[in-house]
């Protein structure tokens, strides 16, 4: 029996007059690994950010782990700690050490004792393979290391689903693989994840489903193999042609 | 530091043209100042004779000697490494100041009899009024800044009215309004609390803007990251936003503190025995105003120097780890 973690039904979102999301329907079950791709400005970030309510939708229904998202909900903290978010720009807290970054949520939100929070933080730092950087400040780390710290920071809240918004787009090319390897590791361990990325190798390796978005709509959705080998929609074909040229 | 280029340009004051320019300007200015009747003229007596008798040539000769000394001094200092340059120029300017004060014919023994009281009573009062006020003003400023940035109409309206009013009215008037006005409403208030209240409200208004700018300078990604690990508004503000705004908030706040230290002299008008009040009153009986004013001025200045040193330490502290 699988459990539905995220459900979007008929979701519409506008920025002023501009429609950023157009009738989005999406169901994510526990253990699902979904990759979202599409041209710049197609609404990928907007979609993923509505899932932990960093952005509000205007029409339709979004439920995360059984909680309905709406402007007056009282348990937004629960929704946000259940959904770990990894940003393109890392957004680590520059005034805290790596360890403090990881302990902040558990201590102040989960009210964990310090020692326990520290032990947990070290576990996750081991998992992203940079335990030796624990006492450094984010500004002293490479981009790839920072992004791995950001992933560990999200994991420390024990989320039910991880959301990645182009986690490797701001990285120098030689650092992309260390972050992807971390994410592949997570996927192997059964983490539910939604990942906006153009890394097709990653999509082929771990995704159950690939979603193509354009102009705020989900244009095509399929398992990786048919998605890449035999795209149905002409817009998907054009897009794949563009990114696979290199 | 300004961002320095790697190319080294010639030292300006070692160029003959610049040297000649400095010399000529100094000569003209010193001559026109008519210095023969000052201490410089007296020192020149062997050359120009009795300064009182010497005419324009006396002024010119004094000006010439001073201009030569100044030019040589500048040229020599320019040879030294930066640290020594700074030290020597400071020392020389200080000496110049002391000469200026010396010319008032001050009575040092009078200063000696009063200075202890000026420090224990005046300096102490000035310091604690300023310290309490700046602490309260900082608290007020955080509230004001959050209100000004909020989307709550009441909060914004009250905060912007507050900053507009208290930045728009002279501090002296605020002190009178509070000290004389509040009792009309039935709140009798002592001079010291009235002074503290006025300084707090006034500087809180200025510092609201400092805090607002500091908060606004933080990238929106920090808010989002903070929210995404479940922080609410209070935690985000306390743990994420304000600590990062500090490097931006502290320098202008130090500046405000230094300004307040001297603006606290305005509360002397309602009879608080702080430095300025004592400076104006202690010399009255013996007609020794200048002694007391200059002593107070020196105390203010030394206090400011201390604060500047503290401020640069704090700035260094907030700069150290990440940047
Ligand atoms: N805060 C905003 N205000 C107005 N328009 C926005 C805002 N955020 C995004 N948009 C617009 O919404 C569209 C989708 O943006 P986004 O979700 O960031 O696209 P993607 O991540 O696929 O590149 C873009 O056209 C963008 O300009
Ligand atoms: Mg995006």
């Amino acid at each position: 029996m699988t459990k539905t973690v995220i459900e979007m039904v008929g979701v519409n979102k506008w920025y002023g007059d501009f429609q950023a999301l157009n009738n989005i329907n999406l169901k994510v079950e526990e253990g699902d690994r979904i990759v979202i791709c599409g041209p710049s400005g197609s609404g990928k970030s907007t979609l993923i950010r509505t899932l932990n309510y960093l952005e509000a939708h205007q029409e339709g229904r979004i439920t995360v782990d059984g909680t309905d998202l709406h402007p007056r909900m009282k348990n937004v903290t629960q929704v946000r700690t259940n959904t770990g978010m990894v940003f393109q720009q890392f957004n680590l807290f520059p005034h805290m050490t790596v360890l403090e970054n990881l302990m902040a949520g558990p201590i102040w939100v989960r009210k964990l004792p310090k020692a326990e929070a520290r032990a947990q933080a070290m576990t996750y730092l081991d998992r992203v393979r940079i335990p030796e950087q624990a006492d450094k400040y984010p500004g002293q780390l490479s981009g790839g290391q920072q992004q791995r710290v950001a992933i560990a920071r999200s994991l420390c809240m024990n989320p039910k689903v991880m959301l990645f918004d182009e986690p490797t787009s701001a990285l120098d090319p030689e650092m992309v693989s260390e972050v992807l390897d971390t994410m592949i590791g997570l996927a192997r361990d059964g983490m539910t994840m939604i990942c906006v990325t153009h890394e097709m190798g990653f999509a082929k390796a771990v995704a159950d489903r690939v979603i193509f978005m354009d102009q705020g709509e989900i244009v095509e959705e399929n398992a990786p193999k048919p998605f890449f080998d035999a795209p149905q929609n002409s817009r998907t074909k054009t897009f794949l042609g563009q990114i696979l040229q290199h | 530091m300004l961002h320095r280029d790697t190319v080294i340009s010639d030292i300006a004051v070692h160029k003959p043209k610049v040297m000649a320019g400095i010399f000529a300007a100094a000569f003209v200015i010193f001559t026109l100042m008519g210095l023969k009747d000052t201490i410089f003229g007296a020192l020149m007596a062997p050359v120009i004779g009795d300064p009182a008798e010497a005419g324009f040539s006396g002024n010119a000769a004094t000006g010439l000697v001073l201009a030569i000394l100044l030019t040589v001094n500048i040229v020599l200092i320019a040879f030294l490494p930066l640290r020594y340059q700074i030290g020597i120029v400071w020392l020389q300017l200080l000496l110049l100041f002391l000469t200026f004060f010396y010319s008032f014919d001050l009575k040092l023994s009078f200063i000696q009899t009063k200075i202890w009281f000026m420090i224990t009573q005046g300096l102490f009062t000035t310091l604690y009024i300023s310290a309490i006020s700046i602490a309260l003003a900082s608290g007020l400023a955080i509230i004001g800044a959050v209100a000004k940035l909020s989307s709550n109409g009441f909060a914004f309206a009250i905060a912007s009215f507050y900053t507009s009013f208290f930045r728009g009215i002279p501090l002296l008037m605020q002190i009178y309004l509070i000290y004389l006005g509040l009792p009309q409403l039935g709140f009798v208030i002592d001079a010291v609390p009235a002074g503290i209240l006025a300084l707090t409200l006034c500087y809180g208004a200025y510092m609201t803007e400092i805090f607002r700018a500091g908060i606004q300078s933080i990238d929106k990604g920090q808010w989002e990251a903070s929210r995404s690990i479940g922080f609410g508004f209070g935690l985000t503000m306390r743990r994420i936003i304000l600590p990062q705004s500090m490097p931006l908030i502290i320098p202008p706040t130090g500046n405000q503190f230094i300004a307040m230290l001297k603006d606290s002299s305005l509360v002397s008008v309602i009879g608080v025995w702080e430095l300025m009040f004592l400076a104006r009153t202690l010399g009255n009986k013996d007609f020794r105003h200048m002694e007391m004013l200059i002593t107070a001025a020196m105390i203010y200045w030394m206090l400011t120097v201390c604060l500047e040193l503290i401020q640069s330490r704090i700035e260094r502290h907030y700069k150290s780890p990440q940047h």
Side-chain angles (χ1 to χ4, degrees):
Chain A
M1 240 328 263
T2 51
K3 190 173 149 233
T4 303
V5 185
I6 286 174
E7 187 165 23
M8 303 177 84
V9 182
V11 172
N12 289 316
K13 171 168 180 65
W14 289 266
Y15 290 114
D17 291 334
F18 176 79
Q19 185 158 14
L21 294 180
N22 188 354
N23 189 30
I24 301 289
N25 295 288
L26 178 68
K27 197 166 173 177
V28 181
E29 317 255 289
E30 209 165 51
D32 278 0
R33 297 172 296 250
I34 294 172
V35 162
I36 301 178
C37 60
S40 173
S42 57
K44 308 176 299 290
S45 297
T46 306
L47 187 155
I48 210 163
R49 288 155 57 87
T50 56
L51 296 179
N52 67 350
Y53 220 58
L54 283 180
E55 299 283 355
H57 57 291
Q58 281 100 30
E59 283 177 7
R61 196 165 55 81
I62 304 181
T63 35
V64 174
D65 195 37
T67 306
D68 207 22
L69 303 191
H70 60 89
R72 299 195 177 280
M73 68 182 156
K74 294 281 177 263
N75 50 352
V76 67
T77 303
Q78 189 195 328
V79 170
R80 286 183 178 155
T81 52
N82 277 340
T83 50
M85 181 78 157
V86 176
F87 301 89
Q88 183 175 349
Q89 301 296 339
F90 329 138
N91 292 342
L92 291 174
F93 307 130
H95 59 302
M96 300 179 179
T97 63
V98 165
L99 202 56
E100 288 166 345
N101 265 276
L102 266 57
M103 290 164 63
I107 287 179
W108 289 313
V109 180
R110 294 258 194 252
K111 312 281 183 211
L112 235 55
K114 260 207 167 134
E116 209 171 308
R118 175 186 299 268
Q120 183 196 268
M122 285 313 295
T123 313
Y124 283 114
L125 273 187
D126 270 332
R127 181 136 172 213
V128 299
R129 297 194 313 282
I130 35 176
E132 70 283 358
Q133 311 288 358
D135 293 318
K136 289 210 183 138
Y137 285 91
Q140 299 168 310
L141 305 185
S142 72
Q145 292 172 325
Q146 289 192 49
Q147 193 60 297
R148 285 186 281 154
V149 172
I151 293 172
R153 177 175 69 180
S154 294
L155 291 175
C156 280
M157 300 306 286
N158 306 315
K160 298 228 161 75
V161 48
M162 287 288 287
L163 310 172
F164 296 86
D165 189 3
E166 304 205 34
T168 58
S169 299
L171 297 177
D172 291 334
E174 77 272 18
M175 294 173 185
V176 169
S177 65
E178 65 185 60
V179 171
L180 289 180
D181 286 348
T182 305
M183 292 165 63
I184 291 171
L186 276 180
R188 298 262 149 81
D189 292 346
M191 175 62 84
T192 312
M193 48 207 267
I194 304 178
C195 185
V196 175
T197 183
H198 292 160
E199 296 292 336
M200 292 308 142
F202 172 79
K204 284 175 185 162
V206 305
D208 311 298
R209 272 185 289 160
V210 182
I211 290 174
F212 174 69
M213 285 186 75
D214 192 22
Q215 297 178 355
E217 293 175 297
I218 293 183
V219 174
E220 186 161 348
E221 180 174 352
N222 215 333
K225 196 159 168 46
F227 181 87
F228 290 112
D229 295 348
Q232 303 296 306
N233 192 289
S234 63
R235 285 192 270 175
T236 318
K237 285 179 196 159
T238 315
F239 175 75
L240 287 178
Q242 279 163 356
I243 63 164
L244 294 178
Q245 257 168 21
H246 317 291
Chain B
M1 280 270 183
L2 303 176
H3 194 67
R4 253 210 320 245
D5 200 346
T6 40
V7 179
I8 297 171
S9 50
D10 295 337
I11 296 172
V13 297
H14 285 175
K15 291 178 187 159
K17 267 189 193 162
V18 178
M19 252 188 254
I22 293 175
F23 173 76
F27 179 53
V28 171
I29 292 173
F30 286 143
T31 303
L32 291 181
M33 280 166 78
L35 295 169
K36 73 181 169 67
D37 297 317
T38 63
I39 181 174
F40 302 114
L43 288 172
M44 289 283 289
V47 184
I48 61 173
D50 181 3
E53 314 269 280
F56 177 77
S57 61
N59 282 333
T62 314
L64 182 69
V65 171
L66 285 177
I68 291 173
L69 284 178
L70 179 72
T71 312
V72 170
N73 182 42
I74 291 176
V75 170
L76 288 182
I77 289 177
F79 279 112
L80 296 173
L82 183 70
R83 296 178 57 127
Y84 293 101
Q85 283 180 352
I86 295 172
I88 290 179
V89 173
W90 255 85
L91 205 71
Q92 291 185 344
L93 290 175
L94 197 65
L95 279 175
L96 216 62
F97 248 83
L98 290 180
T99 343
F100 173 62
F101 288 152
Y102 180 76
S103 66
F104 288 132
D105 189 20
L106 302 179
K107 202 171 155 200
L108 288 179
S109 59
F110 183 76
I111 295 180
Q112 270 172 7
T113 59
K114 303 286 184 189
I115 193 163
W116 187 238
F117 186 61
M118 274 190 117
I119 289 175
T120 51
Q121 170 65 38
L123 173 61
F124 178 74
T125 310
T126 291
L127 260 184
Y128 91 72
I129 288 183
S130 304
I132 294 178
S133 302
I134 201 85
L136 293 177
S138 301
L140 202 56
I142 293 178
I143 299 172
V146 170
K148 269 200 134 172
L149 292 170
S150 83
S151 47
N152 181 319
F154 286 108
F156 180 86
I158 292 171
S160 53
F161 185 88
Y162 159 68
T163 51
S164 168
F165 183 83
F166 282 94
R167 290 200 300 172
I169 289 184
L171 177 55
L172 185 59
M173 239 175 247
Q174 294 173 29
I175 293 171
Y176 278 129
L177 282 179
I178 288 172
Y179 187 57
L180 305 174
L182 281 186
Q184 306 268 333
L185 302 176
F187 304 102
V188 178
I189 185 165
D190 280 341
V192 169
I196 289 177
L197 187 59
L199 286 170
T200 300
L201 288 171
C202 181
Y203 275 81
Y206 284 104
M207 286 170 57
T208 294
E209 295 302 316
I210 295 175
F211 276 71
R212 184 185 57 76
I215 292 170
Q216 266 183 321
S217 71
I218 303 303
D219 182 59
K220 126 179 175 313
Q222 291 290 311
W223 287 89
E224 293 180 344
S226 177
R227 296 228 161 100
S228 72
I229 57 167
F231 278 20
F233 175 77
L235 271 175
T236 301
M237 212 60 197
R238 264 204 337 275
R239 301 289 180 185
I240 307 298
I241 304 300
L242 282 179
Q244 290 186 65
S245 321
M246 278 304 142
L248 272 122
I249 288 175
I250 283 178
T253 298
N255 217 20
Q256 293 289 313
F257 190 41
I258 289 170
M260 177 188 275
L261 204 68
K262 281 153 297 161
D263 272 356
S264 71
S265 63
L266 290 172
V267 307
S268 67
V269 298
I270 53 176
V272 177
W273 282 31
E274 45 68 77
L275 255 181
M276 186 65 201
F277 183 86
L278 297 184
R280 285 191 302 138
T281 52
L282 282 182
N284 274 351
K285 202 161 56 98
D286 307 84
F287 299 103
R288 286 275 168 200
H289 294 110
M290 229 30 195
E291 275 80 354
M292 291 295 94
L293 285 178
I294 287 176
T295 309
M298 287 294 123
I299 295 179
Y300 275 120
W301 188 14
M302 274 184 251
L303 216 52
T304 305
V305 170
C306 291
L307 288 178
E308 282 168 344
L309 292 176
I310 295 174
Q311 185 185 355
S312 70
R313 288 218 118 170
I314 298 180
E315 272 175 42
R316 237 176 302 150
H317 169 81
Y318 273 101
K319 245 202 210 143
S320 51
Q322 59 270 31
H323 301 291

